[in-house]
Amino acid sequence: MQQFTYERATSPSDALHKIAAAKGGRFIAGGTNLLDLMKLRIETPGHLVDINGIGLDAIESTADGGLRIGALVRNADLAAHPWIRRDYPVLSLALLSGASGQLRNRATTGGNLLQRTRCPYFYDANQPCNKRLPGSGCGAVGGYSRQLAVIGGSAQCIATHPSDMAVALRALDAQIETMRPDGTTRRVAIDEFYLAPGRTPQQETVLEEGELIAWVVLGAPPGGRHVYRKLRDRASYAFALVSVAAIIEDSGRLRVALGGVAHKPWASQAPFEAGDTPAAIAGRLLQGAEPSPGNAFKIELVERTLRSILAR
Amino acid sequence: MKFEYPAGDNPIDRLEVVGRPSDRLDGPLKVAGQARYAYEQHEVAPNQLYGVAVGAAVGYGRILDIDTRQASSAPGVEAVITGRSAGQLDIGDFYVASALAVDQVEHYHQAVAVVVAGSLEQAREGAARVRVRYDRQPGAFVLKDAVFAAEAPETSPDIDIGDFARGFADSPVRVDEIYETPDQSHAMMEPHATVATWSGNRLILWTSIQIVSWGLRDLAKIFAIPQEDIRIVSPYIGGGFGGKATVLSDAVLAAVAARHCGRPVKLALERHLQVNNTTHRPATRQRVRLGADRDGRLQAIGHETWSGNLPGGAAERSTIPTTSLYAGAHRMMRTRVGRLDLPEGNAMRAPGEAPGLMALEIAMDELAERLELDPVELRLRNDTPVDPTSGKRFGTRRFAECLRTGAERFGWHKRGTRPGLVVDGDDFVGLGVAAAIRGNNVTNSAARVRLRRDGSLLVETDMTDIGTGSYTIIGQTAAEMLGLGLDRVEVRLGDSSFPRASGSLGQRGANSSTSGTYAACQMLREKLCAAAGADPARADFADGQLIDRGRRVALRDLAADGEIVAEDGIEFDPARGGLAHQTFGAHFCEARVDRITGEVRVTRMLAVCAAGRILNPKTARSQVIGAMTMGLGAALMESLAVDPRLGLFVNHDLASYEVPVHADILEQEVIFLDHLDEHSSPMKAQGVSELGISGVAAAVANAIYNACGARVRSYPVTIEKILPHLPLA
């Protein structure tokens, strides 16, 4: 681990002030991903600003009947929250399908959104990876790609985003509210929060230097039937081969987002209608997919998972 | 003591202590975190430094240059040692890869340097600053290519009995298929770890090792020093599965660094190094040909296996189970090993049998289907009282009883006779069976027992407990022999200053080491009789007393003037009574396959094991359910992914090399057909731990086939291999 300095922030503005003063600093909350990566020297921040004590750890109702979730709310608390379980069960289901009890106790809402890919080439500092070392090449393209993206990638990167929570948030059309060092705030739709890898896979989100995720905002409860299906090689504690977050509204309209297929939760802008077949939905969602031989099965798996969900 | 067979009656038969489900003697220490593993040996040698290994960044190639300047000047770094500065290092007798590369990198993550510093963090920082330039060379990384130049190893001669080609051609019902098993990692919980210190020319290691005496042998060879100058201490081992059979790079590098620095050095292999730096179960390609008459009697059995390894490395002997499992007049077995420049393949839980049965027992399922015969019945029809390869009678063979008992207990009659017949909700439900066979081998083992002045007993042997229960069954054996309660016995293991035992490998440890304890206790009984003036032929030991014709003498009184010590070992006749020694079992599995998505859930597993006297049903059951779990992993998920361009196993951490978790295991049951093997040992026991994995993966694969019709011959049976077999709508 490269040496680093560390300090605790006491409020959001204090955190923003401290991060702005330290070049190359990073916020740390649960640390469930960042510390692992630091031990492997994949992340090498010179300074850490601990934001565990800044507040932003509550779930509050909003004027339009929705919710806002503090960035420091732990995954376990979010999954167990009665409002979430009642009104946004897809989010609770997605959270509980990820990681382990211990990790969910520690990991935060904001950190979950920002976790890095689990691509094995990203994790091995001896191997080429444009995300870890821009310009070094991509080991995964033409390599072991079973877990990796089938759509939205580029010749420079086919990493997938590993979060389950984010997939549910995409199906819920969540907004991410941030604070910037200059004191301004902004809201970004989750679909626009993640950047396509393109030629710059090291740039993963729209966050600017020193910008802090403060809240995740949900609209009014969508109602309907909520499903989160995660397919993987073992029953727990594994990243998705494919996952599907689905909200089937009482009208039959379907909102769906996919995990395990792209650099971000993958969805289409418009919802699907009651008569759409699983094949049509999968076809529209994955139009233009460019799978590798090692992960082409994900295309069929998405369709089958949708069929399984809609058959009930 | 020479083991004379048949064993005849002996004090173990009382079963006052042996055969009971005693809790582990070491259990409280382990759950309280008080059992000190190698890396936790902080106080044994003061003033410890920390070592970190630098793994090679290329799969195969030459080291052009190692620039250690930045590392050496890093804070706290005491030394940066490379293959050139380490001094001459040989390899041991078991593993063929060098612990430290000099010029040639033999495999990915082979150590190219070790950095020593005052703290772990400083050593890691130093290791990150070592700059190595390589000339990457094309290596052989693809098993399918390596088979073309594969050779026959001396250890696995070809077997030709009868006329296989003709027997197979003449058989009316045939199976001829290729099966593939992947590279697998031991993925043990405790990483390879060592604390090493030198005292003059004497080397002491606290390490994690399965066979202490192999460690002495190999360290002596590697460092060219006498075995007598080495001591190994290994009281607790957090899993080995064959991956810690003897010393590996952690021990060698720690010893090199300690010698170089003149201080004790502690070194553990970081988790991401374990897969490529150490050993693994090598991938195999196997061709199995079975020819049977229309009644299902095997006429011809052909089994060929190919694996790859570093030059000089062992072959994976997948044909071993096939030599002895089924009758059949015409037999042909071939074992071949080709060159691969991947990390070394070597022993992992039931080497030979585990991958061999993964192939053979699917082939048997395929044959049963072609015969329209029940798979249990097919196996019963090919039972044999005589080892069909050696011609020897089996010491014990209760294979048919395992199959029948299992079929009865598992509800085998509910199995659909064709795939897809049994549907429950969203799932196809299938049942599968596979045979289990695993060699029952023994190794001469010794122990020392001390009757202490307080009447308690101390047992000392270099036997190891790799999580298996050795402490407990050795304690039970000694307690039984001396008529003591288990609470009056203390067991010390894993120290090379103790008498030499089998160690833990090849499911021979329990039977061998308790027999060694038996021998030492027998000698102690004789000494005590002499001290008491009792007749050893008639004396009995019970309730802490020696009893001879009504006269009772407390053992405590006999040792009142000083402890009484006896040391002896068991010596087994290599001919083993002219019998074939194998353990047998049957594995049953119920699998559910989602009709739409192809997701697999193994809902029930049953193992029926005939493995002699069960010394402790609790620890034996734990061994078997652990092995069943590992077999489920082999069936469904475990696979090291080779990148043939780069020459490494890519998924080298526990997030990407998946092993089963609790949620994968729903219901496991183990039945022991407890019986006595008079020809195995005075304990009348056999091995059981590796029988528990042998055949499991095939039972799972067969259950999946029976459920949904997906016949997958390439493990693991993952979802993408099932999908093409599922109906589209």
Side-chain angles (χ1 to χ4, degrees):
Chain A
M1 188 181 285
Q2 182 170 291
Q3 292 210 2
F4 59 91
T5 50
Y6 166 93
E7 63 187 328
R8 287 197 181 115
T10 55
S11 67
S13 60
D14 185 39
L16 292 165
H17 176 74
K18 285 189 160 80
I19 205 82
K23 186 115 178 79
R26 296 285 303 273
F27 295 121
I28 185 166
T32 55
N33 192 211
L34 181 59
L35 286 178
D36 288 354
L37 293 167
M38 287 171 68
K39 288 176 189 172
L40 294 166
R41 301 178 70 92
I42 295 164
E43 297 261 18
T44 53
H47 185 69
L48 291 183
V49 176
D50 185 333
I51 56 171
N52 284 294
I54 66 169
L56 296 177
D57 54 0
I59 298 172
E60 300 169 359
S61 55
T62 58
D64 64 354
L67 287 181
R68 62 175 196 167
I69 301 160
L72 275 300
V73 172
R74 308 286 158 175
N75 288 176
D77 295 334
L78 183 58
H81 197 281
W83 294 351
I84 301 295
R85 291 176 56 177
R86 186 189 63 202
D87 296 335
Y88 309 91
V90 67
L91 178 56
S92 187
L93 293 168
L95 282 160
L96 293 175
S97 76
S100 65
Q102 293 92 329
L103 287 167
R104 292 193 297 267
N105 283 341
R106 190 77 200 139
T108 62
T109 306
N112 189 317
L113 289 170
L114 294 178
Q115 61 183 302
R116 313 288 310 270
T117 183
R118 292 284 168 166
C119 174
Y121 297 91
F122 174 73
Y123 263 80
D124 186 337
N126 292 325
Q127 306 308 335
C129 174
N130 289 319
K131 192 184 275 298
R132 175 170 33 76
L133 188 64
S136 64
C138 175
V141 170
Y144 177 62
S145 60
R146 183 166 181 266
Q147 288 279 348
L148 302 177
V150 297
I151 194 163
S154 68
Q156 283 75 32
C157 183
I158 53 170
T160 40
H161 195 266
S163 172
D164 292 297
M165 181 192 81
V167 180
L169 291 178
R170 177 65 187 87
L172 290 164
D173 285 323
Q175 304 265 319
I176 295 164
E177 189 173 307
T178 69
M179 299 178 180
R180 287 187 274 207
D182 65 6
T184 59
T185 65
R186 61 170 170 161
R187 272 195 192 185
V188 184
I190 186 167
D191 194 46
E192 285 152 26
F193 182 73
Y194 296 105
L195 299 172
R199 293 176 176 279
T200 54
Q202 72 276 17
Q203 291 170 18
E204 296 176 351
T205 70
V206 298
L207 287 181
E208 295 163 9
E209 178 91 26
E211 189 171 1
L212 175 69
I213 298 176
W215 302 95
V216 170
V217 184
L218 300 178
R225 180 164 71 97
H226 290 211
V227 181
Y228 190 75
R229 277 289 289 275
K230 181 175 181 181
L231 288 87
R232 43 185 161 177
D233 291 326
R234 63 182 173 190
S236 176
Y237 204 48
F239 298 98
L241 294 167
V242 158
S243 68
V244 178
I247 300 167
I248 303 126
E249 296 175 8
D250 296 336
S251 65
R253 270 188 10 149
L254 177 72
R255 292 206 259 167
V256 58
L258 307 178
V261 297
H263 60 281
K264 65 174 181 177
W266 198 253
S268 67
Q269 290 307 324
F272 297 92
E273 298 306 323
D276 291 342
T277 64
I281 297 168
R284 203 171 103 201
L285 280 169
L286 295 175
Q287 190 170 20
E290 295 180 33
S292 63
N295 63 24
F297 70 94
K298 290 187 176 187
I299 306 285
E300 182 181 350
L301 204 51
V302 166
E303 183 188 330
R304 285 179 173 274
T305 307
L306 285 165
R307 193 182 332 143
S308 175
I309 290 170
L310 294 175
R312 287 179 209 188
Chain B
M1 174 193 287
K2 280 196 161 44
F3 171 55
E4 310 277 356
Y5 31 71
D9 292 345
N10 68 43
I12 299 296
D13 296 323
R14 291 190 305 191
L15 298 180
E16 299 278 343
V17 191
V18 169
R20 306 220 168 186
S22 304
D23 291 341
R24 287 167 191 269
L25 297 182
D26 49 331
L29 288 177
K30 285 184 175 170
V31 297
Q34 291 169 348
R36 291 288 181 92
Y37 290 83
Y39 202 78
E40 300 169 315
Q41 299 286 356
H42 308 300
E43 291 90 13
V44 291
N47 209 17
Q48 292 177 3
L49 293 169
Y50 291 80
V52 166
V54 179
V58 299
Y60 189 69
R62 291 192 71 75
I63 299 171
L64 297 177
D65 172 58
I66 304 182
D67 181 350
T68 61
R69 286 168 299 179
Q70 280 189 57
S72 299
S73 61
V77 170
E78 297 276 333
V80 183
I81 305 160
T82 67
R84 288 190 176 279
S85 61
Q88 188 75 32
L89 296 171
D90 201 348
I91 58 171
D93 280 347
F94 190 65
Y95 296 132
V96 299
S98 302
L100 185 59
V102 181
D103 294 317
Q104 183 69 39
V105 172
E106 297 170 275
H107 62 87
Y108 191 66
H109 275 170
Q110 182 178 31
V112 295
V114 54
V115 177
V116 192
S119 75
L120 175 65
E121 291 75 14
Q122 289 170 331
R124 291 178 68 145
E125 174 64 21
R129 294 193 190 186
V130 174
R131 294 281 167 266
V132 188
R133 286 196 308 123
Y134 301 94
D135 174 20
R136 189 191 287 267
Q137 296 171 326
F141 304 123
V142 179
L143 176 58
K144 271 185 190 167
D145 300 338
V147 301
F148 295 112
E151 295 176 354
E154 283 177 19
T155 51
S156 301
D158 293 352
I159 293 172
D160 291 288
I161 296 169
D163 183 344
F164 170 75
R166 188 155 160 205
F168 185 67
D170 289 349
S171 295
V173 183
R174 292 190 291 262
V175 168
D176 178 359
E177 297 290 351
I178 299 280
Y179 302 88
E180 295 175 314
T181 66
D183 296 287
Q184 296 173 343
S185 179
H186 305 87
M188 69 289 279
M189 190 100 78
E190 181 203 22
H192 297 74
T194 298
V195 176
T197 189
W198 293 79
S199 169
N201 291 325
R202 274 185 60 80
L203 171 63
I204 308 178
L205 284 105
W206 292 264
T207 190
S208 184
I209 188 171
Q210 294 176 226
I211 306 179
V212 167
S213 61
W214 285 17
L216 294 185
R217 176 197 70 195
D218 292 338
L219 284 170
K221 184 161 177 273
I222 290 166
F223 286 96
I225 58 176
Q227 281 194 41
E228 294 71 32
D229 287 350
I230 307 168
R231 182 173 169 216
I232 290 176
V233 186
S234 190
Y236 302 106
I237 294 108
F241 310 115
K244 295 175 181 170
T246 177
V247 286
L248 278 138
S249 64
D250 60 303
V252 177
L253 296 178
V256 163
R259 185 170 64 182
H260 185 97
C261 297
R263 281 170 63 180
V265 171
K266 171 183 286 188
L267 186 147
L269 292 182
E270 294 172 274
R271 178 58 74 183
H272 66 275
L273 287 179
Q274 185 250 318
V275 164
N276 285 283
N277 178 277
T278 72
T279 65
H280 64 282
R281 189 200 299 281
T284 66
R285 279 177 71 78
Q286 302 178 47
R287 182 182 185 189
V288 180
R289 280 177 281 180
L290 302 175
D293 67 19
R294 296 205 181 277
D295 290 335
R297 288 186 174 77
L298 287 164
Q299 307 298 312
I301 305 178
H303 192 166
E304 299 155 85
T305 183
W306 293 268
S307 58
N309 216 335
L310 296 171
E316 183 65 32
R317 295 156 67 189
S318 319
T319 62
I320 286 179
T322 317
T323 58
S324 306
L325 186 50
Y326 296 120
H330 307 290
R331 314 176 77 85
M332 181 275 292
M333 316 284 156
R334 299 282 184 274
T335 299
R336 297 289 181 269
V337 61
R339 173 172 177 161
L340 285 179
D341 299 304
L342 291 168
E344 179 173 358
N346 208 304
M348 179 167 148
R349 211 169 194 170
E353 279 91 341
L357 289 169
M358 287 168 83
L360 176 67
E361 287 299 286
I362 292 184
M364 286 294 280
D365 205 59
E366 301 198 61
L367 181 65
E369 184 181 30
R370 282 172 211 189
L371 287 159
E372 297 184 1
L373 188 63
D374 182 275
V376 170
E377 179 58 27
L378 172 64
R379 288 168 172 87
L380 289 170
R381 285 191 191 173
N382 290 286
D383 198 8
T384 169
V386 171
D387 182 326
T389 300
S390 68
K392 293 175 180 173
R393 267 193 318 115
F394 287 105
T396 64
R397 179 175 170 121
R398 304 183 73 184
F399 178 48
E401 194 179 339
C402 290
L403 286 165
R404 290 197 179 100
T405 303
E408 164 80 26
R409 288 286 286 270
F410 203 65
W412 183 251
H413 65 279
K414 293 181 197 150
R415 173 180 177 270
T417 50
R418 288 196 320 276
L421 284 187
V422 182
V423 175
D424 180 22
D426 293 336
D427 298 328
F428 294 116
V429 184
L431 302 186
V433 67
I437 181 172
R438 173 67 173 142
N440 172 40
N441 298 313
V442 286
T443 299
N444 293 346
S445 286
R448 183 162 55 226
V449 289
R450 301 172 185 272
L451 180 65
R452 295 189 285 210
R453 297 173 73 152
D454 66 356
S456 67
L457 195 73
L458 173 64
V459 187
E460 297 169 319
T461 163
D462 83 351
M463 178 62 190
T464 50
D465 189 325
I466 60 174
T468 42
S470 307
Y471 278 105
T472 313
I473 57 172
I474 287 171
Q476 287 175 278
T477 301
E480 192 77 77
M481 291 297 291
L482 275 302
L484 296 167
L486 188 52
D487 60 342
R488 299 293 289 156
V489 178
E490 181 187 349
V491 182
R492 293 184 187 162
L493 299 181
D495 189 325
S496 62
S497 65
F498 299 153
R500 178 171 297 189
S502 60
S504 303
L505 198 75
Q507 75 165 15
R508 62 183 65 191
N511 194 20
S512 301
S513 68
T514 54
S515 294
T517 304
Y518 169 93
C521 290
Q522 195 66 42
M523 178 176 280
L524 181 61
R525 286 168 61 113
E526 287 166 19
K527 284 192 172 185
L528 295 173
C529 285
D535 177 358
R538 242 189 292 219
D540 193 13
F541 288 76
D543 308 324
Q545 298 170 327
L546 188 167
I547 306 162
D548 183 26
R549 285 164 290 189
R551 188 165 68 98
R552 290 172 172 266
V553 185
L555 300 190
R556 185 194 296 124
D557 294 341
L558 291 171
D561 295 334
E563 67 174 15
I564 300 176
V565 184
E567 178 176 334
D568 199 5
I570 193 82
E571 285 179 53
F572 295 101
D573 170 12
R576 311 220 31 221
L579 298 168
H581 290 269
Q582 297 283 342
T583 59
F584 292 92
H587 288 286
F588 292 81
C589 171
E590 178 185 86
R592 301 176 79 98
V593 181
D594 187 294
R595 288 193 289 163
I596 301 174
T597 63
E599 293 163 284
V600 174
R601 289 289 275 161
V602 170
T603 40
R604 290 193 296 139
M605 303 175 84
L606 167 67
V608 185
C609 301
R613 169 178 277 156
I614 298 303
L615 302 174
N616 179 328
K618 192 170 192 175
T619 55
R621 179 178 181 277
S622 292
Q623 279 295 290
V624 175
I625 63 173
M628 291 159 76
T629 303
M630 207 172 207
L632 181 139
L636 297 182
M637 64 193 83
E638 292 191 41
S639 175
L640 290 168
V642 178
D643 187 322
R645 307 162 308 167
L646 302 167
L648 74 150
F649 298 128
V650 177
N651 51 339
H652 49 64
D653 61 33
L654 293 181
S656 52
Y657 183 84
E658 293 181 13
V659 300
V661 294
H662 285 283
D664 290 302
I665 306 300
L666 298 180
E667 189 180 320
Q668 291 179 325
E669 194 184 350
V670 183
I671 297 171
F672 294 115
L673 300 183
D674 210 335
H675 62 108
L676 303 182
D677 184 351
E678 296 276 352
H679 294 89
S680 177
S681 77
M683 304 303 291
K684 305 172 189 173
Q686 300 175 343
V688 72
S689 62
E690 296 181 348
L691 186 66
I693 189 174
S694 302
V696 172
V700 176
N702 293 340
I704 291 169
Y705 176 75
N706 181 244
C708 70
R711 178 65 80 192
V712 180
R713 301 185 184 89
S714 174
Y715 292 95
V717 186
T718 45
I719 201 163
E720 66 267 42
K721 298 174 189 172
I722 293 172
L723 288 182
H725 301 272
L726 293 182
L728 282 171

